[in-house]
Amino acid sequence: MKYSLLLLLNLLFLTALSQPASPIVIQTKNASLVFTVGKNHRVYQSYLGSQLANTEYEKLSGGQEAYLTAGMENLFEPAIRVVHADGNPSLELTYASHTASQQGNVTTTRIILKDSVYQVEVVLQYTAYFNEDVITASATIQHHEKKPVRLTHYASTMLHFNADKYWLTQFHGEWAREAQQVDEQLTNGVKNIESKLGTRADFYQTPTFFLSLNNPSTETSGELIAGTLAWTGNFQFTFEVDQRNQLRVRPGINPYASDYTLKPGELFTTPDFIFTYSNQGKGQASRNLHHWARNYAVLDGNGPRLTLLNNWEATYFNFNEDKLVELFDGAKQLGVDMFLLDDGWFGNAFPRNDDKAGLGDWQENKTKLPNGIGHLVNEAGKKGIKFGIWLEPEMVNPKSELYQKHPDWILRLPNRAENLSRNQLVLDLTNPAVQNFVFGIVDSLLTKNPGVAYIKWDCNRPMSNTYSPYLKENQSHLFIEYTHSFYKVLDRIRAKYPHLPIMLCSGGGGRTDYGALKYFTEFWPSDNTDGLERVFIQWGYSYFFPANTIAAHITSMGKGQSLKFRTDVAMSAKLGYDIRVNEMTPQELQFSQESVKNYKQLSDVIWYGDLYRLISPYEENRSVLMYVNDQKSKAVLFNYNLTTRRKDLFTKVQLQGLDPKKNYRFREINLFPGTKSTNPDNDKVFTGEYLMTIGLNLTPGRVLPLTSNIYSLNGE
Ligand code: DGJ
């Protein structure tokens, strides 16, 4: 009798522990994600949508199991699959406890799940950024079995939807054609958007998506989530629509060739999946992400950026000290902050005169730079500009001293021919000696030349025929450990050089994710700097990344495009130049000087303001976007006419984001010398209400292809 009473009390205690009194609510300003615990103690996602009154959450129950396991009754894609030490592949996760802690705007909720048969524990972590309306989700997996277990699936989270229809927007592409928007309706079955490329992971696919519910969303209407993964490596977003039209979204590291052996007591933490819910279309979702990114995710997200002149397109590998010092004059004349020396400055035994040799040998080439980097930094300083430099520290050319000295530092199959891409191989960053080497490249450069003000960090090939001499029998850890090692090196760099601006580049936009942007101030979206192409490429990235992270350089690419068109396109993101200034006509130079001045005046609005996309280049033969500052006192409007034809007629454009009650002076700026605005509304004052309801004709008269206008709106 005594024993049964004890047992009963014990059971009641366990039930109380494994059943929270109220639903678990993850809440932001306008949205909430709610979990409840069922009678079987499993955790269910009971709600994801716009915020409700608190009393409503109490009525919720049921839904879809939050973090679906494998090996038992789940017949669909699992969030997690574990093969235990005894070979058993089953897992049942039930609620153990949860905690929530708040620090100002940020609340972190941790839900602890356990298996009752095997000693496996999963912590689902949700961090809600209240004002930004953004939630990040990750999972930490741990076990206390006697021997290691094998993880074959380890999603960051799982989200469930139950709508009539689902529309997916992804950003697909390749070299020189990055981030092209593709929309489709999801049908039954599985759709993956993913990467298996390792180093240059986002080469074909940006790790971002919109999922619209019921109807395709527009910029200003529709219910959707926008999602992205903070991971500089293989990623996967799985969308599975089942036989009942329910959708599961499974974001995370791509488990392809990446079974992970987890030792007892070791923690496996997934990268954050970042998402925002909006019932006001893509524009709002995008602005939420921009706010979050600047406040929490990008290195110095609210800090200033340097305008620059890069020599890559101007000289490629063909330069010497005198030529560079001459180019500094170009930077000075333009009025930009910095000169950026690109590829080709290093290697002696194997001089880097093209992309076939020298990579890995990070000593100044004595013929090209007899007085070293220090001399260039000083010369730049004398001309009143800063000096930045290009590195590609993770790679090696077979024609290099590094390759000869450290053959065991290279990722390649021991028994097969090397598979070169751009004549180079990837270093085995999982090896701590290689991590020291990579850190040392940056550290010795900056120690010897403390005046270096900026780095462009390149990465020009994906992984293929990959094998790590360091990981030996643990090859299935390679993709994951490579990314962890990349972060380890960056942690060391940032501990010593916390604010040095570094551009993330990967042969164009091969690395564009928030895992990396924690360490980088900006990224290079594409080697394609043709103005027309950039309208589309920058449009794609701009949904998920704020303007101060999107490097946009004016080059001589772009057949038939005026310097004005190319400049106006670059000015809508983070402006730079990669051009021969000495080949500009006097008028072009004057125009560029004025553009840099205008940009500097407007950059606060562009970098930190709210972006409103007014006309999509995918919908019309033009593209219009605007930025508005926080106080709604200043705005800037970019209008691009694309490959327009004689009969293209463009209607008035209604602006967005202004204060309806304020008066704004509308003025065309950045005009080419000797030209005047042809807009009859130029220099007139309008109320915000007029501009947002009636709108303005931005291209009066005949619309010429590849032309553009920038208009400023100043509150009076
Ligand atoms: C690829 C980058 O995208 C270019 O901007 C340039 O830095 C080259 N690499 C240099 O090799």
Side-chain angles (χ1 to χ4, degrees), residues 525 533-543 550-552 569-570 572-573:
E533 298 297 334
R534 273 297 184 117
V535 166
F536 290 88
I537 293 169
Q538 290 169 199
W539 184 271
Y541 284 119
S542 79
Y543 277 114
I550 305 176
V569 172
S572 69

Side-chain angles (χ1 to χ4, degrees), residues 244-279:
R244 291 189 181 157
N245 205 43
Q246 302 176 119
L247 168 67
R248 286 164 207 84
V249 179
R250 181 184 62 181
I253 296 175
N254 191 344
Y256 164 75
S258 295
D259 279 8
Y260 201 90
T261 317
L262 194 66
K263 294 188 199 107
E266 193 188 347
L267 298 180
F268 181 94
T269 300
T270 71
D272 279 338
F273 173 62
I274 301 141
F275 71 99
T276 181
Y277 167 87
S278 157
N279 56 14

Side-chain angles (χ1 to χ4, degrees), residues 310 312 317 342-343 352 390 422 456 458 460 505-508 524 527:
N310 189 189
W312 177 244
F317 295 95
D342 214 285
D343 195 355
R352 180 78 171 166
W390 178 96
R422 208 195 189 211
K456 174 176 178 183
D458 210 342
N460 278 296
C505 174
S506 186
W524 184 235
D527 282 345

Side-chain angles (χ1 to χ4, degrees), residues 662-676:
K662 269 203 172 99
N663 285 317
Y664 295 91
R665 184 169 295 275
F666 172 78
R667 189 177 280 150
E668 181 160 4
I669 58 165
N670 223 44
L671 289 155
F672 201 76
T675 64
K676 283 198 185 126

Side-chain angles (χ1 to χ4, degrees), residues 161 163 165-167 211-216 223-225 247 277:
F161 299 89
K165 287 180 180 151
Y166 307 102
W167 302 84
L211 173 74
S212 305
L213 306 175
N214 300 308
N215 294 298
E223 194 184 359
L224 66 124
I225 66 153
L247 168 67
Y277 167 87

